[in-house]
């Protein structure tokens, strides 16, 4: 999207998967700070990994300069309407009332230990004063299958759950973003359902190696921001979540804010990775 039209030259995409994004981040951290190598990364790689892993090949604050946040993707608090008793309640407060009455009796599935889907639910547990039991799965798809099968009572799912919500296989009780999501406008945000300040989203943003000159950082940020004005690009981005073009300074502040928030959740919930 930001190739020939905005930068005047093609952009090569090199997908480096593995280690929860750490392989790609490590490679970019070691690249020349000339603006020609950009890391397209996410909140887990930049804000959560450093809090959970003892050894990584990068330090976000030391090794990167934030360029632009692009998309913020909400999670959807889902239950199975065919499985009770939590599946029978129509509201978030109804679910929490049941959970509060029987501590530990109800469970939620996540996409893995330390995943944002666990951190988000543990934040809700703390804010609501409930204790729902965590069950970790190997990814969001297995967690969704477990919810559909009645293995767990609730989950923070990603936007892939929307077709199943529309088909009545799952019920959406709330979304985790600060405001309602444009794809599910009839579903309240957790923040407006009695828990102000709740805001957990999976974002995607661009960063470059530390010491990249400010004029290059700003030029890249402006090129990325321009994408949001292209109708085709905008439509593709909105399919992923909420478009949130934040410049270098505000993006850096958000990374700091989220790192502090997740550090507190991890500490209070006692989350550790072996």
């Amino acid at each position: 999207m930001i190739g020939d039209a905005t930068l005047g030259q093609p952009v090569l995409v090199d997908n480096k998967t593995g280690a929860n994004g750490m392989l790609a981040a490590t490679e970019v951290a070691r690249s020349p700070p000339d603006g020609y190598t950009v890391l397209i990364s996410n909140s887990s790689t930049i804000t959560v990994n450093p809090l959970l892993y003892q050894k990584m090949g990068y330090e976000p604050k030391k090794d990167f300069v934030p360029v632009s946040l692009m998309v913020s993707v909400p999670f959807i608090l889902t239950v199975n309407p065919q499985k009770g008793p939590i599946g029978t309640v129509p509201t978030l407060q109804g679910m929490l009332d049941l959970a509060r009455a029987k501590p530990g009796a109800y469970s939620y599935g996540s996409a893995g230990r330390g995943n944002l889907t666990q951190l988000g639910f543990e934040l809700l547990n703390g804010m609501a004063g409930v204790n729902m039991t965590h069950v970790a799965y190997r990814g969001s798809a297995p967690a969704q299958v477990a919810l559909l099968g009645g293995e767990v009572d609730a989950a923070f799912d990603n936007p892939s759950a929307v077709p199943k919500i529309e088909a009545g296989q799952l019920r959406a009780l709330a979304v985790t973003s600060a405001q309602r999501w444009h794809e599910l406008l009839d579903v309240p945000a957790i923040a407006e359902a009695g828990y102000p300040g709740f805001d957990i989203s999976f974002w995607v943003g661009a960063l470059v190696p530390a010491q990249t000159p400010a004029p290059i950082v700003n030029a890249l940020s402006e090129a990325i921001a321009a994408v949001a004005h292209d109708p085709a690009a905008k439509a593709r981005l909105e399919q992923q979540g909420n478009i949130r073009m934040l410049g270098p300074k505000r993006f850096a502040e958000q990374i700091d804010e989220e790192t502090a928030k997740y550090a507190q959740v991890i500490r209070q919930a006692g989350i550790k990775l072996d």
Side-chain angles (χ1 to χ4, degrees):
M1 295 187 207
I2 60 170
D4 293 333
T6 52
L7 295 177
Q9 60 189 44
V11 173
L12 173 65
V13 178
D14 185 6
N15 291 313
K16 288 193 174 295
T17 60
N20 201 19
M22 290 189 285
L23 296 182
T26 299
E27 180 164 329
V28 174
R30 297 172 179 172
S31 298
D34 54 12
Y36 284 95
T37 304
V38 180
L39 176 67
I40 304 299
S41 193
N42 58 62
S43 41
S44 292
T45 302
I46 302 302
T47 63
V48 178
N49 284 358
L51 301 172
L52 292 173
Y53 291 94
Q54 295 288 329
K55 295 181 180 179
M56 300 194 310
Y58 64 97
E59 296 179 33
K61 198 134 178 93
K62 173 185 174 184
D63 294 328
F64 296 108
V65 175
V67 174
S68 176
L69 187 145
M70 297 181 287
V71 177
S72 183
V73 186
F75 295 106
I76 309 166
L77 177 50
T78 52
V79 297
N80 186 338
Q82 309 304 320
K83 305 290 182 180
I86 278 183
T88 64
V89 299
T91 65
L92 169 66
Q93 198 57 54
M95 183 197 82
L96 295 174
D97 287 343
L98 287 174
R100 194 174 294 110
K102 293 184 176 181
Y106 300 107
S107 61
Y108 73 90
S110 81
R113 285 193 304 151
N115 187 275
L116 278 175
T117 50
Q118 181 191 10
L119 300 189
F121 225 110
E122 290 300 335
L123 177 61
L124 179 61
N125 272 346
M127 293 180 72
V130 302
N131 177 22
M132 293 185 68
T133 302
H134 175 227
V135 182
Y137 292 91
R138 292 182 178 272
S140 57
Q144 187 182 98
V145 170
L147 180 59
L148 289 167
E151 293 179 20
V152 292
D153 298 294
F156 274 177
D157 215 333
N158 59 41
S160 70
V162 171
K164 290 182 173 58
I165 293 169
E166 293 174 340
Q169 295 174 276
L170 294 174
R171 176 184 292 133
L173 298 184
V175 294
T176 64
S177 49
Q179 291 85 33
R180 297 192 183 202
W181 183 37
H182 58 81
E183 290 291 326
L184 294 170
L185 287 175
D186 59 334
V187 178
I190 290 175
E192 68 176 281
Y195 302 93
F198 190 99
D199 183 8
I200 295 283
S201 294
F202 180 86
W203 52 253
V204 176
L207 305 96
V208 291
Q211 307 304 319
T212 299
I216 293 177
V217 173
N218 292 332
L220 288 170
S221 180
E222 291 170 4
I224 292 171
V227 168
H229 300 293
D230 178 87
K234 182 179 179 181
R236 288 179 61 186
L237 289 171
E238 286 182 334
Q239 288 176 352
Q240 307 302 315
N242 297 315
I243 297 176
R244 287 196 67 207
M245 294 292 177
L246 298 183
K249 183 176 184 296
R250 184 64 192 97
F251 186 21
E253 292 172 349
Q254 176 161 323
I255 290 172
D256 289 343
E257 291 164 4
E258 289 191 1
T259 301
K261 174 169 62 179
Y262 297 145
Q264 183 176 4
V265 173
I266 289 169
R267 182 171 58 254
Q268 291 179 343
I271 300 171
K272 295 181 180 179
L273 297 183
D274 297 334

